[in-house]
């Protein structure tokens, strides 16, 4: 771990495995069905494309959740208590937490993200705009085990996990991840988590197939990243973005589908595709409020409060460690 430290702002880098991306891609393209985990979307370009997805009119989750955070910041602060250590795994642009900081008055804010340069900028911005706040940024893969050396024993830890990122995990993995968050927060801690709700599939299909094609570009950027970083020769034009709601599994699936028969080289490995062959790049599970509460309980949390919008598009849960 390397770190730079000034009085109230610190940046830590827990270097991800050297060849992590390479292994995931070679392994994922060798499997049937082919699949690459969604965390690899977020290189510099991918993080920016995701920001742009969040601004698309069809992509309701971000603006709906932001409205809930704004509207209920004081209620959230009341249940979370002041002076907590607020930890945000997968903090991205650190924009959402801004709606909470003034109301919550945490003792410290700890953004964690896999995209180092992106995190560095975002965290420095928070430190500048909230001079009273201690900021400890940690560049790390939150799906690995995370240890946070600077949370004092007696402090209340509150996790902030917005955006329905929990939807990327299969339910069993979501349970394990939540249990991991529960163990980091420890007794007396809490979790404020955004969870996308089950709804009319037409709304979901539109959200993951925006008219401007930003979601398609985000999905296809994974192939560009492979070409850039792993000496790949994907012909991007011959792959199509495919996203749909799978109602049996309660999830939106994203795929990259080869439009013709072709051979692709990555890092000296050869991969054959027939027309119609897909690479499964993301799942985004949707839950009812009750389904999510059951899952959280199985991970050691006690449901405390839920906020949702009038159209029941999105939910925000506050849970305590049991
Ligand atoms: C960041 C995982 C919550 O599933 O909606 C957006 C990612 N993928 N559009 C989601 C995403 C395509 C997003 N999460």
């Amino acid at each position: 771990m390397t770190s730079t430290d000034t009085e109230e702002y610190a940046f830590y880098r827990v270097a991800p495995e050297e060849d992590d991306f390479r292994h995931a891609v070679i392994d994922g393209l060798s499997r049937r069905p082919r699949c690459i985990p969604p965390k690899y979307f977020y290189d510099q370009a991918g993080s920016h494309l995701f920001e742009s997805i969040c601004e698309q009119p069809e992509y309701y989750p971000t603006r709906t959740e932001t409205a809930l955070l704004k509207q209920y910041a004081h209620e959230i602060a009341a249940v979370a208590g002041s002076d907590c250590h607020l930890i945000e795994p997968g903090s991205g642009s650190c924009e959402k937490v801004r709606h909470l900081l003034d109301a919550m008055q945490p003792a410290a804010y700890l953004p964690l993200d896999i995209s180092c340069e992106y995190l560095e900028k975002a965290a420095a911005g928070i430190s500048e705009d909230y001079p009273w706040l201690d900021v400890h940024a940690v560049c790390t893969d939150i799906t690995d085990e995370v240890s946070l050396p600077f949370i004092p024993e007696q402090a209340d830890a509150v996790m902030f996990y917005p955006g329905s990122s929990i939807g990327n995990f299969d339910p069993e993995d979501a349970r394990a991840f939540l249990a991991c968050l529960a163990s980091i927060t420890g007794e007396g801690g809490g979790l404020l988590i955004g969870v996308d709700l089950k709804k009319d599939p037409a709304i979901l299909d539109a959200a993951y197939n925006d008219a401007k094609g930003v979601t398609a570009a985000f999905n296809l950027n994974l192939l560009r990243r492979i070409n850039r970083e792993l000496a790949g020769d994907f012909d991007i034009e011959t792959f199509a973005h495919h996203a749909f709601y799978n109602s049996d599994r309660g999830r939106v699936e994203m795929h990259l589908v080869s439009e013709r028969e072709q051979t692709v080289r990555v890092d000296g490995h050869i991969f054959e595709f027939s027309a119609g062959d897909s690479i499964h790049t993301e799942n985004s599970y949707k839950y009812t409020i009750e389904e999510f509460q059951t899952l959280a309980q199985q991970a050691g949390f006690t449901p405390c409060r839920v906020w949702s919008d009038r159209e029941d598009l999105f939910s925000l849960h506050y849970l305590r460690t049991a």
Side-chain angles (χ1 to χ4, degrees), residues 7-188:
E7 247 177 299
E8 70 294 309
Y9 175 65
F11 188 83
Y12 303 81
R13 181 188 288 253
V14 184
E17 292 280 317
E18 259 306 291
D19 275 335
D20 198 34
F21 182 44
R22 186 181 311 272
H23 287 144
V25 169
I26 302 301
D27 177 59
L29 293 179
S30 308
R31 284 168 191 269
R32 296 294 178 272
R34 298 166 182 84
C35 57
I36 299 173
K39 66 181 179 187
Y40 298 108
F41 283 137
Y42 301 92
D43 64 349
Q44 189 80 340
S47 294
H48 282 290
L49 283 165
F50 180 67
E51 289 304 305
S52 173
I53 287 175
C54 294
E55 289 159 13
Q56 298 311 305
E58 300 92 335
Y59 194 74
Y60 62 86
T62 312
R63 73 181 120 80
T64 310
E65 183 180 50
T66 298
L68 292 174
L69 290 170
K70 278 190 193 166
Q71 183 174 358
Y72 297 114
H74 288 279
E75 289 187 23
I76 293 165
V79 288
S82 53
D83 266 345
C84 70
H85 278 59
L86 187 62
I87 307 161
E88 183 176 358
S91 49
S93 63
C94 299
E95 278 304 315
K96 287 176 188 167
V97 78
R98 290 171 179 266
H99 304 297
L100 296 175
L101 291 174
D102 286 325
M104 279 182 84
Q105 296 286 315
Y109 172 56
L110 296 82
L112 322 177
D113 206 276
I114 194 167
S115 188
C116 284
E117 289 159 72
Y118 206 74
L119 172 66
E120 202 160 9
K121 250 184 236 145
I126 294 286
S127 180
E128 210 175 292
D129 296 343
Y130 299 84
W132 49 268
L133 181 66
D134 271 1
V135 178
H136 299 273
V138 187
C139 180
T140 186
D141 182 350
I142 58 160
T143 61
D144 290 343
E145 229 154 83
V146 180
S147 69
L148 301 170
F150 25 68
I151 305 177
E153 280 289 327
Q154 72 287 1
D156 287 336
V158 173
M159 288 277 173
F160 179 43
Y161 197 53
S164 201
S165 297
I166 194 70
N168 271 165
F169 295 98
D170 286 334
E172 314 77 67
D173 296 336
R175 208 174 288 128
F177 181 73
L178 290 173
C180 177
L181 296 187
S183 77
I184 295 173
T185 52
E187 248 173 84

